Amino acid sequence: MRVPRRRAAPAKGSFRRRLTGVMVGLVALVAALIGAAHALQLNSQITENTQAKALTLARAVAAQPGVRAEVARISAGSAPSAAELAEGPIQETAQAVTQRTGALFVVITDEEGIRLSHPDPARLGQLVSTDPGVALGGREETTGNTGTLGPSAG
C-alpha cells in the first residue's frame, strides 16, 4: 500500500513578501530618479539665474563712463604696474560694486584681457584665466568656469 506523500505547503506570504519587496524597490527607484531629475533641473535654473545676474552686473559696470574712460586711458598708454592698478580707480570701482551688490568678485580687464581689477592684487596686470575673445569681439557670453578664484559664473 502506498502512503500518499504530503507536499510541503508553500510558506505563507512568501510570494507576497517578494512582491512587496519588488514594489518597494520600484517605488524607491522611481523616487530616486525623480529626485535626481529635480536636482539637475534646480541646478540648471540656479546656474542660469546666476549667469543672468553676472551679465547684468557686467553690463552695468561696463556702461559706467568713468570705467570706460579709465580703461581707454590705460589701453592707450603703457601698462601700469600691479601696485598702480591696486590703488587706481578701476580697482576702487570693482571693490565698491562688489560691496554694493554682494557679488563675490568683479574683474575688469582692458581690451587685451589684462586684469585691471581683481580681488587678489597679485593677479593685477595678468591675462584673465578665461578666453576673453568673445567679449573682446563685442559679443556677450555667459559661462560657468573654474578660474583663479574657484567656480564662477560670468
Side-chain angles (χ1 to χ4, degrees), residues 53-68:
K53 286 180 180 181
L55 183 58
T56 300
L57 181 60
R59 287 174 179 155
V61 171
Q64 292 183 18
V67 170
R68 296 174 73 85

Side-chain angles (χ1 to χ4, degrees), residues 71-146:
V71 170
R73 185 190 70 72
I74 291 170
S75 295
S78 60
S81 69
E84 291 171 321
L85 290 171
E87 298 300 321
I90 297 290
Q91 182 74 348
E92 288 177 14
T93 298
Q95 289 172 341
V97 169
T98 299
Q99 289 173 348
R100 277 195 321 265
T101 63
L104 296 177
F105 60 89
V106 173
V107 176
I108 300 172
T109 71
D110 68 3
E111 295 175 357
E112 295 178 12
I114 303 298
R115 294 181 182 106
L116 305 179
S117 75
H118 196 276
D120 178 2
R123 301 279 183 185
L124 292 171
Q126 297 177 358
L127 188 64
V128 290
S129 58
T130 55
D131 180 18
V134 173
L136 296 175
R139 295 181 313 278
E140 295 177 342
E141 176 184 49
T142 58
T143 60
N145 257 326
T146 301

